[in-house]
């Protein structure tokens, strides 16, 4: 199975500040069709996860442009600029290139 | 609007079985696969597998090949997760999610297994 190593585990931030979360995979996430199926989700306390970024760098409908994704191959990053209170929660990366799909262990974004 | 609505919380004893439903609305049910994800209390997300909503064929991750069954009632736009011979470690919230992007999620169903 592809192992997704997500860092950091906890990320204290100030409102208005910037956050960066890393996700590294144990093998390349480039599919045979050329696409890279690496996605990012936010799970707010007591809620279901919500899709933020799909296929590395595409913002899902309604996601503010403060969220951006980048990376390639095995190394991916989610950046959040101008952090707002509603951005706090647990962030997960997910690879759906190789079955079984696998999630990162999560990063808790919290106030400093 | 697109919605996945799951059935309510369950309290079961070890050895019992249960069936969770996930009713889809706002889109054509058979256009997208349905995924299943487990989240144990205070833990991260664990992928369980998916079901092809056109053929009904389920595919399970290794940890979920023994007691777990994905099924469909296509006429009702509903997917099901059945768990047989429940164990304490099945205590978790179970989510359904739509498609390969997991773009839409159900609200989750809390399953508690306790004697």
């Amino acid at each position: 199975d592809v192992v997704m190593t997500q860092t950091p585990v906890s990320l204290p931030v100030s409102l208005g500040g910037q956050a960066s979360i890393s996700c590294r995979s144990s093998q390349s996430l480039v599919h045979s069709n050329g696409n890279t199926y690496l996605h990012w989700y936010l799970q707010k306390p007591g809620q279901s996860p919500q899709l933020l970024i799909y296929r590395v760098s595409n913002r899902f409908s309604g996601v503010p442009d403060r969220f951006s994704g980048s990376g390639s191959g095995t190394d991916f990053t989610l950046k959040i600029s101008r952090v707002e209170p509603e951005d706090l929660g647990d962030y997960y990366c997910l690879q759906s290139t190789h079955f079984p799909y696998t999630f990162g262990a999560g990063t808790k974004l919290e106030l400093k | 609007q697109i919605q996945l609505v799951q059935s309510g919380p369950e309290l079961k004893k070890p050895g019992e079985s249960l069936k969770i439903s996930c009713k889809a609305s706002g889109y054509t049910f058979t256009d997208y696969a349905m995924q299943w994800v487990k989240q144990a209390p205070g833990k991260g997300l664990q992928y369980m597998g998916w079901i092809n909503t056109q053929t009904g064929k389920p595919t399970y991750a290794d940890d979920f090949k023994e007691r777990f069954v994905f099924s469909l009632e296509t006429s009702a736009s509903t997917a099901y997760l059945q768990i047989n011979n429940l164990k304490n470690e099945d205590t978790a919230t179970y989510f359904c999610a739509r498609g390969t992007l997991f773009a839409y999620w159900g609200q989750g169903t809390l399953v508690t297994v306790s004697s």
Side-chain angles (χ1 to χ4, degrees), chain B residues 10-12 14 16 20 22-24 27 31 34 38-40 45 54-55 64 78-79 81 96 102 104-105 115:
Chain B
E10 302 264 10
L11 174 59
K12 293 288 188 180
E16 294 183 335
I20 296 166
C22 169
K23 182 169 177 57
Y27 72 97
D31 280 354
M34 193 67 76
K38 175 184 178 182
Q39 186 169 39
L45 303 170
Q54 293 186 339
T55 64
F64 301 97
T78 301
L81 165 63
C96 57
F102 298 62
Y104 298 90
W105 293 64
S115 53

Side-chain angles (χ1 to χ4, degrees), chain B residues 3-10 12 17-25 27 29 34-37 51 69-74 76-83 93-97 105-111:
Chain B
Q3 281 192 301
L4 299 177
V5 178
Q6 297 183 226
S7 47
E10 302 264 10
K12 293 288 188 180
S17 296
L18 64 77
K19 197 170 188 177
I20 296 166
S21 65
C22 169
K23 182 169 177 57
S25 61
Y27 72 97
F29 182 68
M34 193 67 76
Q35 316 280 354
W36 289 95
V37 176
I51 186 164
V69 181
F70 305 150
S71 62
L72 303 173
E73 187 178 352
T74 306
S77 299
T78 301
Y80 298 95
L81 165 63
Q82 181 169 326
I83 311 175
T93 297
Y94 294 86
F95 296 98
C96 57
W105 293 64
Q107 83 276 21
T109 296
L110 175 62
V111 173

Side-chain angles (χ1 to χ4, degrees), chain A residues 5-13 19-23 40-43 78 80 87-93 104-110, chain B residues 44:
Chain A
T5 302
Q6 190 176 334
T7 56
V9 172
S10 173
L11 183 52
V13 295
S20 181
I21 301 170
S22 169
C23 207
W40 292 96
Y41 302 82
L42 164 61
Q43 186 176 31
L78 175 70
I80 311 160
D87 301 338
L88 303 179
D90 296 324
Y91 287 79
Y92 295 93
C93 59
T107 294
K108 181 177 288 296
L109 188 70
E110 53 194 2

Side-chain angles (χ1 to χ4, degrees), chain A residues 1 37 39 41 43 47-51 54-55 60 92 94 96 99-105, chain B residues 35 37 39 43-47 49-50 59-61 95 100-108:
Chain A
D1 296 1
Y37 294 96
H39 323 296
Y41 302 82
Q43 186 176 31
Q47 295 186 19
S48 309
Q50 57 190 86
L51 176 63
Y54 63 95
R55 279 191 269 116
F60 188 55
Y92 295 93
L94 164 70
S96 59
F99 191 86
Y101 306 156
T102 43
F103 290 92
Chain B
Q35 316 280 354
V37 176
Q39 186 169 39
K43 302 294 186 185
L45 303 170
Q46 183 180 13
Y47 181 66
W50 68 288
T59 305
Y60 303 96
F95 296 98
T100 54
L101 298 184
F102 298 62
Y104 298 90
W105 293 64
Q107 83 276 21

